[in-house]
Amino acid sequence: LLVLNLLSQLIITMSLVLGTAITTSSNHWMMIWIGLELNTLAILVIIMKPKHPRSTEAAVKYFLTQTIASTMVLCAGTINATQTGQWNASMMTNKYACTMLLLALTIKLGTIPTYFWLPEVMQATSMTTALVIATWQKIAPISVMYATHNHLPQNMMMTIGLSSIIIGGLGGINQTQLRKLMAFSSMMNLGWTLTAFSISPNTATINIIFYMIMLIPSFTLMKKMSLKTLQNLTTTWTTSPLANTLLTLLFLSLSGLPPLTGFIPKIMILNELIMQNLTPVATTTAMMSLISLFFYIRTTFITTL
């Protein structure tokens, strides 16, 4: 029984990795879609592993949103192929197909306008699964966005990015559940990424990589310390001061506070925006990030009480 359990876990993990690998390395729309579907099916099994009604609910929500997004990706590819005769992802020239693709990728990532599923799904799963959803599951959509960024509607992408920063910041202020708080943090960071994607995809990719690297130790510490709510943070200082200090620094880094690691990609994005004469956008982005800085500093203040 133990061998079968380990074998099933290995197959699921391999499917998860393979799905992402197929999507990131493919140029054909059908292969991209197959990779996304394989990835979705693998994570559904992981979400449903705890035998609990909330896990089942989260799996259904995740399945519905991701299936709609994958269908839209395939539909965008089909529309473009009908118009151009090309199934190549880098040959996206039909503006309707490009708009549909961008909306599908925002659903996949969990940003504006369809972000509602992300906090609910992350809250209803285990800490490890929430980490996978916030990091690994973002790689495939980001890679598709990187491959097609020249053809995606730039103004729309920037608007979605700015809206995600605002909603992510405002949504995080009122949260007491840490996984929901991290979901809104993820949305806000993706807002930064989308804003940068329209002018400098390389800087945007650096931003999301930095964010993922910082999330891994944050979630690991929260799991080890059995933290689920802000209330739990008030007692951690007496039990494990070192882990508590590390978590505080990680939260401040995620907020983009200088001179910590999270500040580097944010200053790069602001620099790119100013270089492209988009100073109002840069100012708005910087001002809106103060909202998220508030809820991170509040979290760290509770941690160090």
Side-chain angles (χ1 to χ4, degrees), residues 33-49:
W33 177 76
I34 288 167
L36 289 170
E37 284 302 303
L38 184 61
N39 184 270
T40 303
L41 291 169
I43 193 73
L44 280 173
V45 181
I46 297 169
I47 293 169
M48 285 185 76
K49 199 181 176 193

Side-chain angles (χ1 to χ4, degrees), residues 56-237:
T56 312
E57 185 191 335
V60 171
K61 284 177 182 174
Y62 190 84
F63 173 74
L64 289 171
T65 50
Q66 297 301 305
T67 308
I68 291 163
S70 295
T71 309
M72 284 173 73
V73 168
L74 190 61
C75 192
T78 310
I79 291 167
N80 193 65
T82 309
Q83 294 286 319
T84 62
Q86 290 283 342
W87 280 95
N88 197 318
S90 57
M91 298 285 186
M92 288 288 285
T93 51
N94 185 284
K95 63 177 183 178
Y96 299 111
C98 291
T99 307
M100 188 182 282
L101 177 65
L102 179 60
L103 287 171
L105 293 174
T106 57
I107 296 170
K108 280 268 173 202
L109 291 166
T111 61
I112 298 293
T114 43
Y115 66 92
F116 305 102
W117 65 270
L118 185 64
E120 296 300 321
V121 170
M122 279 180 69
Q123 180 56 34
T125 56
S126 66
M127 201 63 84
T128 312
T129 312
L131 172 62
V132 174
I133 292 167
T135 55
W136 185 262
Q137 292 303 95
K138 303 281 185 270
I139 296 170
I142 288 288
S143 67
V144 175
M145 198 175 276
Y146 189 89
T148 57
H149 73 270
N150 285 328
H151 308 290
L152 296 175
Q154 308 293 312
N155 291 340
M156 189 179 177
M157 200 188 291
M158 201 167 278
T159 307
I160 289 169
L162 285 168
S163 305
S164 296
I165 295 168
I166 297 163
I167 300 295
L170 292 172
I173 284 175
N174 214 24
Q175 294 304 323
T176 54
Q177 301 289 333
L178 282 175
R179 276 166 293 183
K180 273 192 179 179
L181 199 137
M182 296 313 282
F184 282 106
S185 154
S186 168
M187 191 201 307
M188 196 207 68
N189 196 271
L190 284 163
W192 277 87
T193 306
L194 285 170
T195 307
F197 242 114
S198 52
I199 49 158
S200 176
N202 291 334
T203 310
T205 311
I206 289 166
N207 179 57
I208 201 75
I209 289 167
F210 268 67
Y211 182 71
M212 286 176 185
I213 290 166
M214 289 184 293
L215 266 194
I216 295 164
S218 303
F219 270 94
T220 308
L221 280 169
M222 285 192 283
K223 188 187 176 186
K224 291 286 180 192
M225 295 158 76
S226 302
L227 300 175
K228 287 186 173 66
T229 63
L230 288 177
Q231 191 66 38
N232 298 147
L233 285 168
T234 55
T235 55
T236 54
W237 185 255

